Amino acid sequence: MLKLSKPDPSEEKTSIVHLNEGCDFLGFNVRRYRGGAVLLIKPTTAAVRRIRKRLAAEVKALRGANAEAVIHKLNPIIRGWAAYYRSVVSSRVFHALYAYVWKLVYKWAAHTHPNKQALGHHPLLRHVQQGQAGQVGLR
């Protein structure tokens, strides 16, 4: 017969910390602030670093592609990441990521259209400037 037993926590993998020190778990940072009065759960800096790195790699791979291809490639990545972290305190992270996506898309447009002077008139950049969530971005 199958014997059921309680799993013993591994000493090297398990650490018990006070919430004032905070801990990272599944991409979330759980920590108390203001002397323990406020508990905030935020995306970890490692998670933000990973999404930025992934977005940069995707945009770099799409150099020379049209705007529709860029939108179709970036939208599921951004929406999925935003859906995962939407339930926690992530407004500042979303705004920073929005600015980062803008910078990436601007660089993409400058590389794709090197002879154009007015890049703000590119259809993809126009949607990002206007903050239309259905096109590209977090808003």
Side-chain angles (χ1 to χ4, degrees):
M1 285 257 138
L2 181 64
K3 183 180 176 185
L4 298 176
S5 65
K6 287 185 174 179
D8 293 327
S10 171
E11 292 296 326
E12 62 247 7
K13 292 182 188 176
T14 306
S15 64
I16 299 173
V17 296
H18 196 274
L19 278 180
N20 289 342
E21 296 172 27
C23 67
D24 294 343
F25 183 69
L26 296 176
F28 295 99
N29 177 267
V30 181
R31 185 174 171 204
R32 285 187 191 244
Y33 293 89
R34 296 186 192 155
V38 178
L39 175 71
L40 295 181
I41 304 171
K42 302 177 181 180
T44 61
T45 54
V48 175
R49 216 175 294 124
R50 278 193 309 270
I51 188 68
R52 288 173 63 120
K53 191 173 182 180
R54 181 173 178 196
L55 289 171
E58 294 291 344
V59 170
K60 188 173 183 178
L62 289 166
R63 286 194 172 168
N66 62 8
E68 186 176 355
V70 175
I71 291 171
H72 285 296
K73 191 67 175 178
L74 294 183
N75 248 357
I77 297 168
I78 295 169
R79 285 178 184 235
W81 196 86
Y84 185 70
Y85 290 104
R86 126 179 58 208
S87 63
V88 297
V89 181
S90 48
S91 178
R92 287 185 182 170
V93 174
F94 284 167
H95 286 293
L97 192 60
Y98 177 79
Y100 184 71
V101 169
W102 163 252
K103 186 177 97 173
L104 285 177
V105 171
Y106 189 87
K107 282 182 172 181
W108 167 85
H111 185 272
T112 305
H113 306 288
N115 297 326
K116 286 199 175 180
Q117 296 297 320
L119 286 176
H121 296 295
H122 192 280
L124 179 61
L125 295 175
R126 204 171 319 118
H127 288 299
V128 174
Q129 281 175 337
Q130 294 169 358
Q132 296 176 358
Q135 300 302 319
V136 171
L138 300 169
R139 292 183 182 188

